[in-house]
Amino acid sequence: MAIREKSKEKRNALLKATLNLVNNNGFHDAPMSKIAKMANVSPATIYIYFENKQDLINQLYLELKISYTKQAFKDYSENMPVKKAFEFIWYNIADYKLKQVEEAWFLSQCDNTTMIDEVSVQEGLKHLQPLLDLWERGQKEGIIKDVSPYILYAYAINPLAFLMNMQKRGLYQINQESLEQAFQSAWDSIRI
């Protein structure tokens, strides 16, 4: 049992080191040797847990995407009216981004680069299905614009990531009023 725990600890240390290095140095300046050193393991140990750097990055992305979507849909019910449901999910996402800053920063980078392979991107999108289903229901009910879910996400969710990134850089401070304004802007951008 102790061996299994130790293995989980090493894997988690590698994921945490990768998150830190990619966030602070970028994907290309996060070599396996630095990841190993930061995780306090030998470089060869990485390959016990991951096939290569791409596999390591993809697995980190998927684990964080699952964590993100669990928070986004926490206590969500498909029976909620469309606007109320969207507001509920949107504020859950904001809460994640405000409290899980490093994880949200990494996911934001992944959304804006090609560092995640297409298979992992598609797997990550599956976890957003409740939001996609909500938008589809809203379109059928004539509440949400009949456009691609990519456009809906770009206008309703990505601006939140932008604000979080500006706060992380010290250029903007999010408070309750600005959060309410951001939500209203998100809703106005997708509603009919």
Side-chain angles (χ1 to χ4, degrees), residues 16-29:
K16 185 176 179 179
T18 303
L19 175 69
N20 186 302
L21 282 169
V22 170
N23 280 353
N24 292 307
N25 302 341
F27 177 72
H28 295 292
D29 197 19

Side-chain angles (χ1 to χ4, degrees), residues 13-73:
L14 288 164
L15 292 171
K16 185 176 179 179
T18 303
L19 175 69
N20 186 302
L21 282 169
V22 170
N23 280 353
N24 292 307
N25 302 341
F27 177 72
H28 295 292
D29 197 19
M32 296 296 252
S33 59
K34 281 186 182 177
I35 292 169
K37 185 175 183 177
M38 184 175 264
N40 208 19
V41 300
S42 73
T45 301
I46 295 175
Y47 298 98
I48 294 171
Y49 302 96
F50 307 100
E51 291 177 29
N52 52 41
K53 184 177 175 182
Q54 186 66 56
D55 183 45
L56 171 57
I57 296 288
N58 288 338
Q59 287 192 43
L60 176 59
Y61 167 78
L62 286 172
E63 286 190 22
L64 294 180
K65 193 63 131 179
I66 290 167
S67 169
Y68 166 72
T69 54
K70 277 184 182 177
Q71 175 64 31
F73 304 120

Side-chain angles (χ1 to χ4, degrees), residues 21 24 27 32 71 80 89 99 167 180 191:
L21 282 169
N24 292 307
F27 177 72
M32 296 296 252
Q71 175 64 31
M80 295 175 167
I89 292 168
K99 292 180 179 170
Q167 178 168 284
E180 290 169 10
R191 72 179 174 92

